Amino acid sequence: MTPPVHPDIAHLSNLIGTWRGTGAGEYPTIESFRYVEEVTIGHVGKPFLAYSQKTRHAETDHPLHAEQGYFRPVGLDQLELVVAQPSGIVEVHEGTIDGGEIELASVIVATSSTAKEVTTVRRCLTVDGDTMRYEVDMGAVGQPLQHHLRAELSRVPS
Ligand code: HEM
């Protein structure tokens, strides 16, 4: 049985659920691509949200990026995100929440010795009813901070 949402994450409860949709990615060093995505955000009654994401190429259906992490609110208007990727990259973010709008900037990005170089990541995410939109900017592989991803997902009815 799912426990009640912890009061400290009540203002984030509109994120909870499964979300599916499509996105597009680009960067000066790679070919642009389109992807389909599924995001699951859940809770266990404690004051954090568990986040899990996986993507596939929109044309070839090959698995692409995936990541998992946790959102942790700090009071009502700030929050932290830790997120790990199978490509050897770990991001620690801090940012703000204002209604349905979350803005996060990395305070540290750690990479394994074989991972691609990533120095900075910014993530903006909005939830408007049953629609989630996000953008990800990154500074990576010698390039300055700039756009990498944009996606729009819809809440999967439970
Ligand atoms: C929806 C999520 C994402 C998708 C679908 C995605 C997809 C891709 C694809 C298809 C490539 C080009 C091929 C490759 O190198 O694998 C790529 C490159 C890359 N992505 Fe992403 N990515 C996502 C999220 C991220 C995030 C969150 C980061 C870092 C924080 C990141 C960092 C990179 C880097 C460093 C490269 C290599 C660029 C290069 O080698 O020139 N990606 N991504």
Side-chain angles (χ1 to χ4, degrees), residues 25 27-31 33 35-37 53 55-57 64-67 85 87 89 91 109 116-118 120-121 123 134 136-138 140-141 148-149 151:
Y27 210 63
T29 54
I30 60 173
E31 280 201 19
F33 57 92
Y35 58 94
V36 295
E37 175 167 15
Q53 180 254 34
T55 62
R56 303 183 80 89
H57 196 282
L64 287 179
H65 182 96
E67 58 188 30
Q85 305 171 14
S87 45
I89 300 166
E91 302 164 41
V109 182
K116 293 275 173 86
E117 181 216 12
V118 179
T120 323
V121 184
R123 293 174 178 251
Y134 73 80
V136 176
D137 295 347
M138 68 176 179
V141 294
H148 184 35
L149 308 163

Side-chain angles (χ1 to χ4, degrees), residues 14 39 43 51 56 59 66 76 78 83 104 106-107 112 128 146 152 157-158:
N14 58 344
V39 165
H43 79 104
Y51 160 74
R56 303 183 80 89
E59 282 90 37
L76 287 178
Q78 292 178 56
V83 61
L104 291 159
S106 59
V107 291
S112 68
D128 182 8
Q146 63 194 282
E152 181 171 320
S158 51

Side-chain angles (χ1 to χ4, degrees), residues 51-138:
Y51 160 74
S52 169
Q53 180 254 34
K54 58 187 177 185
T55 62
R56 303 183 80 89
H57 196 282
E59 282 90 37
T60 66
D61 201 37
H62 287 150
L64 287 179
H65 182 96
E67 58 188 30
Q68 302 210 17
Y70 296 94
F71 289 95
R72 198 160 71 102
V74 182
L76 287 178
D77 53 7
Q78 292 178 56
L79 87 167
E80 301 171 354
L81 167 70
V82 293
V83 61
Q85 305 171 14
S87 45
I89 300 166
V90 175
E91 302 164 41
V92 178
H93 287 264
E94 293 178 2
T96 56
I97 174 161
D98 181 4
E101 197 167 321
I102 291 173
E103 288 195 13
L104 291 159
S106 59
V107 291
I108 189 165
V109 182
T111 52
S112 68
S113 57
T114 60
K116 293 275 173 86
E117 181 216 12
V118 179
T119 52
T120 323
V121 184
R122 284 182 185 247
R123 293 174 178 251
C124 296
L125 187 153
T126 58
V127 174
D128 182 8
D130 292 332
T131 304
M132 175 187 289
R133 296 183 185 87
Y134 73 80
E135 289 193 31
V136 176
D137 295 347
M138 68 176 179

